[in-house]
Each structure stands twice: as C-alpha cells, then as structure tokens.
Amino acid sequence: MNNIYFYSLQICLLVALLFFLIFVYSSFVFIYEKEKKAAFKAFLIALLLPLPYLFTWYYSWEIAAFIFVADLFLTFCLFLIPFSSNKNSTDNYPLHKIDERNIMFSRSELIEGSDNFNKYYQKYPDKKPLDDKFRKEPGLTAKGSLFYNRIAYAAANSSFFTIDKLRTAVDGEINPDKEQLDPAEIAKFLKAWSKKLGALNIGITKLSDYHFYSHKGRGKDYSKEIKSTHTHAIAFTVEMTHEMVRAAPQASIVMESGQQYLDAGRIAVQMAHFLRSLGYSARAHVDGNYEVICPLVARDSGLGEIGRMGLLMTPKQGPRVRLGVITTDLNLPADKWEKDNSLIDFCNRCKKCARVCPSQSISFDEPKLVDGIKRWQINSESCFTYWCKSGTDCGRCMATCPYSHPDNFLHNCIRWGIKHSSLFRILAVYLDDFFYGNKPKPKKMPQWIPGNKKTQE
Ligand code: SF4
Ligand code: SF4
C-alpha cells in the first residue's frame, strides 16, 4: 500500500507539474504575441489547475488516481481518436467560369459615363444601386476615410505603384531554343527556388476550365475573352506578417497587403521569365492582371481549402497569406489535392469571422448553392463598400481567424488537434473564444507606424 501511496504522489505531482508547465508556456507565447489578457488567463490556469490534483491526493489518492486516468482517457479521445464527423459540406468544382468584370475591383475601376460603365450597368442594372454605395465613400487609401494615415497609405500606395510596373512584365517572348526538361527535376528546382525567393509553400496543378476567368475585367484588355493554351499552373503563398495583420482594419493591413501582393507578383514574374527563357510559354498572374482565379488554383495545387470568408485557408497561416500563380505549357507533375474536411467542419462551427465583420458581409449559415455549387459566399458589395469607407482592405476576418495565429509549437498542436479530431474542434472553438475573445478588438499597429490608434471600429 505504501508503494501505491508513493506512486500516486509521484503521478499527481507529475500531472500538476505538466499542467503548470503547459499553461506557463502558453502564457509566454501569449505575451510574445502581445495578448495580455490571454497571457493572464493562461497564467491563472497554470496556478489553479494543479491545485485539485494536489488537494485530491492529499485527501484520497484513489480519487486522484481516478481523475488522472480520466484525464488520460479524455486527452486520448480529444487528440488521438480520429472522430470522423468531417462534414463534406462544400462542393469541389465550380460549374461555370467567372467573368472578371463582375468582381468588385473591376466594377470599382469603371469610369462614370464611359462606354464600359454604361454597357456594364445596362447589362446588370441590379448592381448599379449597390455600386453607387461604395462610390459615395472616400475610397481605398483615400483622405477622409476612417483609418486615414498619410504615412501608411503612402507606403501602401508605393507597393501598388511598383506592382503596376510589374503588370506589363507578366508575359513576354519565348526563347526559340527550347531546353528539354525533366518534369520531376524542374518541379523540384522550381519549388526550392521559389522558397529561396520568398514563397512560403508551393504546389502544382493541371489547369481546368473553371480556373480561368471567362473575360478580362481590368486593364487595357477589358472585356477580352480569355483563351489560354497553358496546361499547368504553379501556385504559391507568401505570408502576411501577424504584427501587421492583427491591427486590421487599421492602416497596417493595407500596407501589408500591398507589400505581399508585390512580393507574390515579383516572384511570379521572375519564375515566368525563367520558364520562357528555357523555351516554354509562361505567364505570371499578378494583382490587377489575372487570368486565373488564384484561390481555386492554389487549392487544387494542394495549398489549402476555401473557408467561410471565401479565402484560401492554409494549414499553418490560415488566410494570412497572399497568392501568386504562374501558368505554363510545360508539363509538370501535379500535386495531389485532398479535400480537408476538418477545415470545412471547423468553419461550420467557428463563425468568428462572421461575428467580427464590421459590415456583416460573412454568412453565419451553412454553405449554400451558388451557381450550381455549394459553398460559402461573402457579400462582396457590402465588404467592398466598407473598404472604401475605412480606406483599407479591412482584413478583420483574417486577423481574428483561429487559423491565422502565428506558426509556433502551441498553435501547431491546436491545429493538429483540429485536423485530427472533431471532438477537439468543438473544444478549440471554445478555447479560442476564451483566450482571444468572442469578438476580439483590433490590436495596436506596430510602434514604428505613426498615428497608432487602438481601435476605431
Ligand atoms: S474565422 Fe472561423 S469560420 Fe471564419 S474562416 Fe476562420 S475558421 Fe472559418
Ligand atoms: S474584409 Fe472586413 S468587411 Fe470584408 S468580409 Fe472581411 S471582415 Fe468583413
């Protein structure tokens, strides 16, 4: 019996110490993330959680042992049993091509009174009153907008200015001296090189019709039907830094969006030129000059899944990325896309983006039938109107998404649990609300950006 006492004491102390260490570690992670409230809560739990073990052991080692076994069982269930109610509630492939002229950026670029303007609203008169709303607002990075910040907006506009220069470099002459390339070898090279250039993750897919817009909606080729002979696409992500995103919808978000669009564009232009110099047709798709729908190409390249907010959700950075795509006629080995139903299931439960959206543009409902396929669709008109009012591309949804938390050991353990157990997904939704808040407020912008305001929602 003495032995049992001794071992139960050891085990209880060990469990108490383990809980203490886990929550102290979490507390430090939260401090590093400048999440003071979350850090305080974690520290409090670190102090309180071991106490029942110690007290229970003091009064009854049998109960302590029982609680310990129950804990082990729960942990095993939560993390290790792959409860498989992974709801496959969205469809995989759109039935029709999307016309780029219908997206908000294209509509915002229409000049009042111009031929294109008149033709567009003759064809879609129902969109006119909706678009009149955003036209009444100051506009993106405009003076008079809610989060006007001259320095930050000037920095963002410098990125967009540079991207504009890249738009003419997306395509070019193909070297007639064609190099015979080994597909596997060149794919390996492209993947490693793109990471060296600044890409985070990269994948390859075969192109289908639905990857392409039907018509150009921006730039000098407005209304031109898109016809491409390209058979393969290389898609990659670049990370948007957490410290710039967490203050969304303040000005740091539009600075970061501009910068990462630029980085993605620069890498895409460089890689497309590389392929053309080896004798293959290749086109970069950069902000403002796309022929493909990047999130769909990236999803089919195995980089993530489309979530409730309509953005690509990557496994480790969630929606906190920008995308780059190169299309080509070079035959490359395609990566396998396997639908991640755990992510769709988590989105079905979480709904945080819908709660925090200042314009109520994100649906709380289950995915619905849109153009013949079941998916989530945001209200892009009200979202864009808020952008024009705030002056930034908002990003509040991106900033608060539980998948957007930094790529570190703590959050990766949570992500692992989310992926592997539906029971854990339920717990993870509550945990995220408990530590970060059900409707978290925007954080401060980095200190070095002048005109810092905590929240202006
Ligand atoms: S905030 Fe929640 S519901 Fe929204 S995209 Fe992220 S995980 Fe999905
Ligand atoms: S960007 Fe802002 S306004 Fe648009 S859906 Fe996200 S939270 Fe809502």
Side-chain angles (χ1 to χ4, degrees), residues 357-359 361-362 378 383 386-387 393-397:
C357 174
S359 62
S361 303
I362 302 176
I378 70 158
C383 168
Y386 184 75
W387 288 17
D393 54 345
C394 178
R396 192 74 208 119
C397 45

Side-chain angles (χ1 to χ4, degrees), residues 69-332:
V69 172
D71 268 354
L72 276 185
F73 179 71
L74 261 178
T75 310
F76 181 73
C77 287
L78 277 174
F79 279 98
L80 299 178
I81 297 185
F83 287 101
S84 57
S85 75
N86 286 348
K87 269 206 233 163
N88 179 4
S89 51
T90 56
D91 290 342
N92 295 346
Y93 305 109
L95 297 180
H96 308 110
K97 284 185 178 184
I98 292 174
D99 187 336
E100 198 193 18
R101 290 172 294 188
N102 285 329
I103 70 164
M104 294 312 296
F105 284 114
S106 305
R107 283 147 69 180
S108 73
E109 284 172 13
L110 291 171
I111 298 164
E112 286 198 64
S114 67
D115 257 12
N116 289 343
F117 184 96
N118 294 336
K119 273 187 202 154
Y120 185 79
Y121 290 112
Q122 268 161 21
K123 192 169 176 191
Y124 301 103
D126 52 317
K127 296 197 194 303
K128 180 76 172 46
L130 298 171
D131 292 1
D132 283 345
K133 286 190 188 161
F134 77 71
R135 290 203 171 90
K136 282 188 193 136
E137 301 295 345
L140 273 171
T141 66
K143 203 170 182 176
S145 57
L146 269 181
F147 300 107
Y148 178 71
N149 180 320
R150 188 161 182 188
I151 301 289
Y153 281 9
N157 286 333
S158 306
S159 299
F160 291 119
F161 168 83
T162 320
I163 294 167
D164 193 45
K165 305 294 163 204
L166 284 179
R167 284 177 193 146
T168 52
V170 295
D171 216 340
E173 283 188 12
I174 302 165
N175 189 345
D177 180 15
K178 193 171 192 166
E179 178 75 20
Q180 289 312 314
L181 298 169
D182 176 279
E185 201 175 73
I186 198 66
K188 191 176 160 197
F189 175 86
L190 286 167
K191 287 181 178 181
W193 186 44
S194 68
K195 289 192 178 175
K196 195 163 164 46
L197 295 178
L200 193 63
N201 281 312
I202 176 162
I204 295 169
T205 186
K206 274 191 178 173
L207 283 165
S208 302
D209 265 5
Y210 68 83
H211 288 129
F212 290 94
Y213 286 116
S214 64
H215 295 80
K216 287 282 286 176
R218 304 174 73 181
K220 63 178 174 48
D221 290 330
Y222 185 85
S223 272
K224 193 172 159 191
E225 191 180 352
I226 292 171
K227 287 178 181 164
S228 174
T229 54
H230 292 172
T231 53
H232 287 75
I234 304 150
F236 61 89
T237 53
V238 287
E239 183 173 5
M240 295 177 72
T241 58
H242 189 251
E243 68 155 358
M244 297 292 272
V245 170
R246 64 207 287 274
Q250 296 167 89
S252 59
I253 184 74
V254 72
M255 272 181 73
E256 188 63 4
S257 295
Q259 184 57 51
Q260 299 315 327
Y261 275 129
L262 175 56
D263 282 358
R266 188 242 323 148
I267 297 169
V269 165
Q270 220 170 331
M271 288 174 72
H273 182 270
F274 164 78
L275 291 173
R276 288 194 304 275
S277 71
L278 294 173
Y280 296 86
S281 173
R283 185 197 197 274
H285 299 262
V286 308
D287 177 51
N289 192 356
Y290 295 112
E291 286 189 353
V292 291
I293 300 154
C294 292
L296 281 180
V297 177
R299 182 201 66 171
D300 293 355
S301 304
L303 297 183
E305 208 50 69
I306 312 284
R308 181 178 289 276
M309 60 178 91
L311 300 177
L312 183 84
M313 308 274 290
T314 60
K316 288 197 176 167
Q317 284 75 23
R320 199 166 45 77
V321 292
R322 288 289 177 230
L323 306 173
V325 170
I326 303 108
T327 53
T328 178
D329 64 358
L330 171 63
N331 189 7
L332 292 164

